[in-house]
Structures are given as structure tokens and as C-alpha cells.
DNA sequence: GCGACAG
DNA sequence: ATCTTGTCGC
């Protein structure tokens, strides 16, 4: 996809007085730097709908996957048609895990591999849903908001669990939703996307209003808890990981095709060390 | 000091 | 997120 890389690089590097020699996809930062970046980026978010309103023809979902003992990250982006929810394009990527999991700093862990996948897309979606928070975040800038700035596209955060905030229980019927509050403000919505199933946490990412974000998420659901874009991205990334060659193990072990002599004619079928 | 804590 | 076995319900 024609990424707005210049915009992304400008806001990432321009404010930090650091050299532009580091590749975009390796955000090697300290937690302290990451927090500083978030505070700067937070000011750049646009939290209202486009004017004039953008007509939606396509919508994308993004997700990542990895497994233990593997230092690789798999990322996938799926673009679906609107409102039919038919798959138009899929892009994927593999990258090294760049940053540990720290609640509140997920962008720096999942962002690079996702941007790498977005860069491979041929078309630009009209809007993107992420598997994570938008502004429902301690500093008001979760994964969806952060990448919305990078991609310069409208984005929505749709997380499976809460990061911050308080809320009243939601009615059990699909379509019901309540506000998510934090420090006296509405930062998102708790949305029931399926009858009697745990709600999801929807929040504005970038260039969108909360009512519209909720409406779009609900209109993307097709009988499952997660909206189709996110669900399809999840499926795509898991297919990718399972089809990928096994991880390069750091630890050296004897090949199983060449068992030690004592194991070949072992009388006991399985000796558990 | 005790919870809470996107993925 | 990943790992993991069974189990409740439409």
C-alpha cells in the first residue's frame, strides 16, 4: 500500500532529534522514550469524523501472532469489501520481536511488523480496525491511534479486554453498548457484538468519532464476537504462522533422525528422562 | 502494601 | 499473546 511513510517518519523522528538512519521498522526505544513519543503523538490525533464524510468501500483488519521459543513475529492485514465483507486483499509479514510486552506500550511491540505488512498492500483501505485499544489507553494513544497517525487513515481500536477505564455492565443483547470512562471523560464504548457473549472494547483510533466507530464495528460483525476484519486477520496470521518453517532454535540439540545408540534398541517404549 | 495490567 | 482439557449450550 502506498503508506504515508513520510508523515510517519516525520512524526516519529522529527520530534526526537535523532538521526533518520534507523530503519522505520525497528523502533529500538527505551520505555522512557516510548512514553515520551506517545505524549507527543497524542496531541496529533484527530478525534472526529472526516468532513465531508468518507464513503466506505473497503475496511481492513490487522493482527499479529507468535509462539513461544520463537523470536519471530507474524503480522497480517486483510482488506474486506464494505458492506459485503468479502476478502479483497491480504498482506503479511515476518519480523523479529522488537520490544517486550509492556502494558501501554503495545505499539512498539506490534507496530513494526504490522506496518511492514501494510506496506505490501496494493490498495489503501478506507478505514482500519485494530486488535487493541485506540484512545482507551493510559496516555490516550493505543495501538490503533498510533498506527492511524503513521498510516494517516481513519482507525478504530477494538480490544477483547479492558486496559483502563470504568464502565457499567452492558445489556446482553447484540448492539447494546455503554460508555467507558477514564478520568472523567468518555474514552470508548463497551460493545456487545453478539448475544450473551463478552463485549468488546471499542475506542477511537484516529480521524473518527466514537459513535461512528461503534456503528462500524457493529456493522462488521457476522455472527461472531469479533468484527470480520479483525477476525479474518487473526485467521490469516495463524495460517501464516503454521505454514511457516519452524523457528531457528538457539539451543543446539541432537537431531531426531540420528538418535543416540542407547535409544535405538531401548526396551522401554518411552522413558521420560 | 495491594491490585490492575491491550497483546 | 501462548499453552492446555474438558465442558456447557445452541
Amino acid at each position: 500500500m502506498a503508506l504515508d511513510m513520510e508523515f510517519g517518519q516525520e512524526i516519529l523522528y522529527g520530534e526526537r532529534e535523532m538521526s533518520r538512519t534507523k530503519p522505520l521498522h525497528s523502533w529500538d526505544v527505551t520505555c522512557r522514550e516510548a512514553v515520551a513519543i506517545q505524549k507527543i503523538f497524542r496531541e496529533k490525533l484527530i478525534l472526529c469524523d472526516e468532513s465531508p464524510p468518507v464513503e466506505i468501500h473497503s475496511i481492513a483488519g490487522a493482527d499479529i501472532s507468535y509462539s513461544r521459543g520463537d523470536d519471530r513475529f507474524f503480522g497480517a492485514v486483510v482488506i474486506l469489501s464494505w458492506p459485503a465483507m468479502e476478502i479483497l486483499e491480504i498482506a503479511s509479514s515476518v519480523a523479529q520481536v522488537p520490544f517486550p510486552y509492556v502494558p501501554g506500550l503495545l505499539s512498539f511491540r506490534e507496530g513494526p511488523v504490522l506496518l511492514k505488512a501494510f506496506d505490501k498492500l496494493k490498495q489503501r483501505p478506507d478505514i482500519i480496525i485494530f486488535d487493541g485499544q485506540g484512545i482507551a489507553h493510559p496516555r490516550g494513544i493505543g495501538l490503533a491511534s498510533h498506527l492511524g497517525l503513521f498510516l494517516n487513515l481513519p482507525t478504530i481500536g477494538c480490544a477483547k479486554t479492558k486496559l483502563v477505564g470504568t464502565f457499567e455492565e452492558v445489556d446482553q443483547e447484540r448492539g447494546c453498548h455503554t460508555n467507558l470512562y477514564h478520568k472523567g471523560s468518555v474514552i470508548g464504548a463497551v460493545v456487545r457484538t453478539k448475544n450473551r457473549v463478552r463485549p468488546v472494547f471499542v475506542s477511537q483510533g484516529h480521524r473518527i468519532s466514537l459513535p461512528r466507530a461503534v456503528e462500524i464495528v457493529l456493522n462488521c460483525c457476522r455472527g461472531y464476537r469479533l468484527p470480520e476484519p479483525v477476525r479474518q486477520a487473526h485467521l490469516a496470521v495463524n495460517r501464516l504462522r503454521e505454514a511457516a518453517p519452524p523457528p531457528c532454535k538457539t539451543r543446539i540439540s541432537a537431531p531426531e533422525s540420528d538418535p543416540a545408540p542407547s535409544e535405538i534398541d531401548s526396551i522401554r517404549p518411552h522413558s521420560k528422562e
Side-chain angles (χ1 to χ4, degrees):
Chain A
M1 164 172 92
L3 274 189
D4 245 326
M5 283 300 183
E6 291 201 17
F7 185 67
Q9 294 213 2
E10 182 186 327
I11 58 181
L12 176 58
Y13 297 116
E15 309 270 3
R16 294 182 57 199
E17 300 180 1
M18 62 180 284
S19 78
R20 288 168 175 260
T21 58
K22 291 185 179 179
L24 180 66
H25 296 308
S26 73
W27 294 354
D28 59 341
V29 293
T30 64
C31 289
R32 190 180 224 31
E33 288 175 321
V35 167
I37 290 170
Q38 288 182 329
K39 289 179 178 173
I40 293 167
F41 284 18
R42 174 63 183 83
E43 305 304 315
K44 300 178 179 295
L45 288 178
I46 298 171
L47 301 178
C48 59
D49 292 325
E50 315 275 296
S51 54
V54 203
E55 217 177 300
I56 300 181
H57 298 294
S58 67
I59 183 165
D63 195 19
I64 66 102
S65 175
Y66 63 97
S67 56
R68 274 192 182 172
D70 191 343
D71 57 354
R72 296 171 303 177
F73 254 6
F74 296 88
V77 182
V78 178
I79 300 182
L80 307 178
S81 64
W82 175 281
M85 293 296 121
E86 288 166 349
I87 295 178
L88 299 178
E89 188 180 349
I90 299 180
S92 57
S93 64
V94 183
Q96 298 296 301
V97 177
F99 200 82
Y101 172 68
V102 180
L105 299 179
L106 191 64
S107 305
F108 297 88
R109 180 171 172 82
E110 299 197 354
V113 71
L114 289 180
L115 286 179
K116 192 173 172 183
F118 272 106
D119 201 21
K120 291 183 180 175
L121 290 174
K122 294 178 184 173
Q123 57 193 302
R124 266 174 87 79
D126 295 321
I127 187 167
I128 311 164
I129 304 181
F130 285 91
D131 180 12
Q133 313 290 353
I135 63 169
H137 175 279
R139 289 167 294 281
I141 177 154
L143 178 69
S145 300
H146 201 129
L147 294 195
L149 284 170
F150 261 82
L151 300 167
N152 195 17
L153 280 174
T155 58
I156 297 170
C158 180
K160 296 182 291 297
T161 60
K162 182 190 80 172
L163 176 58
V164 291
T166 58
F167 61 98
E168 298 170 355
E169 288 307 317
V170 196
D171 287 342
Q172 294 293 319
E173 286 70 44
R174 166 182 156 76
C176 295
H177 53 271
T178 59
N179 287 333
L180 179 64
Y181 298 94
H182 185 56
K183 294 181 176 176
S185 302
V186 175
I187 59 169
V190 187
V191 182
R192 193 81 65 178
T193 53
K194 182 179 179 183
N195 289 347
R196 300 181 54 83
V197 167
R198 279 183 305 153
V200 296
F201 295 77
V202 176
S203 57
Q204 301 159 76
H206 180 46
R207 291 168 56 179
I208 200 166
S209 68
L210 182 57
R212 185 152 164 75
V214 171
E215 177 196 336
I216 290 172
V217 165
L218 282 172
N219 281 317
C220 279
C221 293
R222 290 294 182 277
Y224 296 89
R225 179 189 179 216
L226 297 182
E228 279 305 289
V230 169
R231 199 176 76 87
Q232 290 298 335
H234 189 75
L235 293 173
V237 81
N238 281 331
R239 284 196 302 267
L240 175 70
R241 181 163 66 87
E242 284 162 26
C248 302
K249 291 178 182 175
T250 307
R251 190 169 60 85
I252 297 174
S253 57
E256 299 193 1
S257 56
D258 184 23
S262 61
E263 292 176 332
I264 296 177
D265 294 315
S266 174
I267 295 179
R268 290 182 295 267
H270 296 292
S271 57
K272 275 193 173 180
E273 284 147 89

